[in-house]
Amino acid sequence: MNTVVENFFLDKAANRHLDWLESEAIHIMREVAAECSNPALLFSGGKDSVVMLRLAEKAFRPGKFPFPLVHIDTGHNFEEVITFRDKRAAELGERLIVGSVEDSIKRGTVRLRNPQTDSRNAAQAVTLLETIAEYKFDACIGGARRDEEKARAKERIFSFRDEFGQWNPKAQRPELWDLYNTRVHPGENMRVFPISNWTELDVWQYIAREKLELPPIYFAHQRQVIPRNGLLVPLTDLTPAREGEIVETREVRFRTVGDISCTCPVASDAATVEAIIAETAVTQITERGATRMDDQTSEASMEKRKKEGYF
């Protein structure tokens, strides 16, 4: 079989796989809209939430989304991502609600030893719960995937949270035959993950197929970084070099985006979606394992945060 024919059948197989994942995700989104009285779609401007927006478009256009977009802003996000977030929300004409960790700090509900420099990543849980309470959301749709991290791997698609916003991994609801129990009492809510069964490679292949725009930091660029504990820490006011550390200018890209204080790029020359797909297909380290300092404090870091109300 010649190369052209082989590529034809490989492309068809990949598209069938993406079609199945897309269909499942759209079904889950429509289930949320039908069963939940006041849902919201979490949108950070990152690649997974960009995919979620496209799925929402396919699920509900030409009408308006049956939910607002919500972002929990730490105040320490990459400027390129926030600019893209605002631009994309405006293009869609959808309402964007921004919960601010800075406001939680001013209210005293979040306390950090040094509010100007300490990581605010874990503090997002408090602001998220306050935003849910303020707007009385009974479901928050997010772009988390099971391949990202061990705690997320054992979470249901419809993840029940109690009246304190907490997740109990030992008290999850069964999801047999794609039937979901969405019933909650006042004060309780659901976190819903339509792309839970997707992998990082699936996400990038879908981005390529749908020709989705992303923040530029996902692609290879020159950046000053500090090699530290096997990671490349970006040189910023929030993450300065420590005594004795060497600052290098390297070609890097971000596999995931989050709070500047805990998100690192990886060395890469992949400047196009096609090059990133080729790179992702052979990588052996998960995106969070390769880029997130907060997940390296202990093996249970993510599960502990999720039990406290994290995404």
Side-chain angles (χ1 to χ4, degrees), residues 163-228:
E163 63 271 25
F164 302 106
Q166 297 174 326
W167 174 59
N168 182 355
K170 296 182 179 179
Q172 301 188 81
R173 298 175 176 182
E175 294 181 343
L176 303 176
W177 306 294
D178 294 333
L179 297 175
Y180 306 110
N181 181 352
T182 63
R183 188 170 300 171
V184 294
H185 295 294
E188 299 171 343
N189 66 87
M190 287 282 183
R191 307 290 168 80
V192 186
F193 307 112
I195 62 171
S196 188
N197 291 326
W198 297 42
T199 65
E200 183 184 9
L201 183 59
D202 294 329
V203 168
W204 279 108
Q205 288 177 328
Y206 192 76
I207 288 168
R209 188 178 84 168
E210 299 294 316
K211 298 179 174 57
L212 301 180
E213 183 183 359
L214 293 174
I217 64 173
Y218 275 110
F219 303 95
H221 59 282
Q222 295 288 319
R223 184 178 290 263
Q224 288 187 301
V225 296
I226 310 151
R228 182 185 298 164

Side-chain angles (χ1 to χ4, degrees), residues 122 288 294-295 301-310:
R288 293 190 71 93
D294 53 331
D295 286 347
S301 294
M302 174 63 81
E303 184 163 327
K304 181 176 182 294
R305 292 201 302 274
K306 289 182 80 67
K307 287 179 179 179
E308 295 172 349
Y310 192 73

Side-chain angles (χ1 to χ4, degrees), residues 30-41:
R30 288 173 174 167
E31 190 79 1
V32 173
E35 297 291 334
C36 301
S37 61
N38 189 26
L41 174 61

Side-chain angles (χ1 to χ4, degrees), residues 9-222:
F9 282 111
L10 285 173
D11 288 344
K12 287 200 72 174
N15 272 314
R16 281 199 302 270
H17 175 64
L18 291 178
D19 286 343
W20 185 90
L21 291 172
E22 179 188 76
S23 178
E24 179 191 48
I26 289 172
H27 165 70
I28 292 166
M29 280 198 174
R30 288 173 174 167
E31 190 79 1
V32 173
E35 297 291 334
C36 301
S37 61
N38 189 26
L41 174 61
L42 301 175
F43 176 61
S44 66
K47 69 181 188 308
D48 298 305
S49 58
V50 167
V51 166
M52 295 287 290
L53 283 189
R54 174 49 55 90
L55 293 168
E57 287 184 276
K58 292 195 174 188
F60 303 111
R61 287 298 192 236
K64 298 280 287 184
F65 292 173
F67 36 64
L69 309 181
V70 172
H71 181 221
I72 305 304
D73 187 354
T74 66
H76 290 171
N77 296 100
F78 290 96
E79 184 179 345
E80 302 96 319
V81 180
I82 296 301
T83 299
F84 176 83
R85 177 203 70 183
D86 294 342
K87 171 175 163 289
R88 192 73 188 100
E91 287 172 349
L92 289 169
E94 298 292 343
R95 180 186 179 199
L96 174 64
I97 296 170
V98 179
S100 169
V101 173
E102 185 68 39
D103 289 344
S104 297
I105 292 172
K106 291 176 181 177
R107 284 193 295 268
T109 52
V110 167
R111 299 196 177 198
L112 301 173
R113 186 170 299 174
N114 188 332
Q116 300 308 313
T117 59
D118 286 358
S119 174
R120 299 181 176 186
N121 194 53
Q124 291 180 89
V126 175
T127 307
L128 174 62
L129 294 178
E130 291 175 343
T131 304
I132 289 172
E134 179 181 354
Y135 292 93
K136 295 181 172 55
F137 294 131
D138 60 349
C140 289
I141 309 168
R145 309 187 321 270
R146 286 175 175 147
D147 78 321
E148 290 182 277
E149 201 276 337
K150 288 182 289 186
R152 287 179 167 171
K154 62 185 181 184
E155 191 165 16
R156 298 285 194 263
I157 290 174
F158 278 74
S159 180
F160 173 75
R161 304 300 172 97
D162 65 20
E163 63 271 25
F164 302 106
Q166 297 174 326
W167 174 59
N168 182 355
K170 296 182 179 179
Q172 301 188 81
R173 298 175 176 182
E175 294 181 343
L176 303 176
W177 306 294
D178 294 333
L179 297 175
Y180 306 110
N181 181 352
T182 63
R183 188 170 300 171
V184 294
H185 295 294
E188 299 171 343
N189 66 87
M190 287 282 183
R191 307 290 168 80
V192 186
F193 307 112
I195 62 171
S196 188
N197 291 326
W198 297 42
T199 65
E200 183 184 9
L201 183 59
D202 294 329
V203 168
W204 279 108
Q205 288 177 328
Y206 192 76
I207 288 168
R209 188 178 84 168
E210 299 294 316
K211 298 179 174 57
L212 301 180
E213 183 183 359
L214 293 174
I217 64 173
Y218 275 110
F219 303 95
H221 59 282
Q222 295 288 319

Side-chain angles (χ1 to χ4, degrees), residues 219-263:
F219 303 95
H221 59 282
Q222 295 288 319
R223 184 178 290 263
Q224 288 187 301
V225 296
I226 310 151
R228 182 185 298 164
N229 299 327
L231 299 173
L232 297 177
V233 180
L235 179 67
T236 69
D237 293 340
L238 296 170
T239 52
R242 298 170 183 169
E243 186 176 352
E245 290 184 327
I246 299 173
V247 176
E248 302 176 0
T249 299
R250 301 272 293 271
E251 190 171 27
V252 299
R253 71 176 183 87
F254 286 84
R255 289 175 67 185
T256 180
V257 296
D259 191 271
I260 291 173
S261 63
C262 62
T263 306

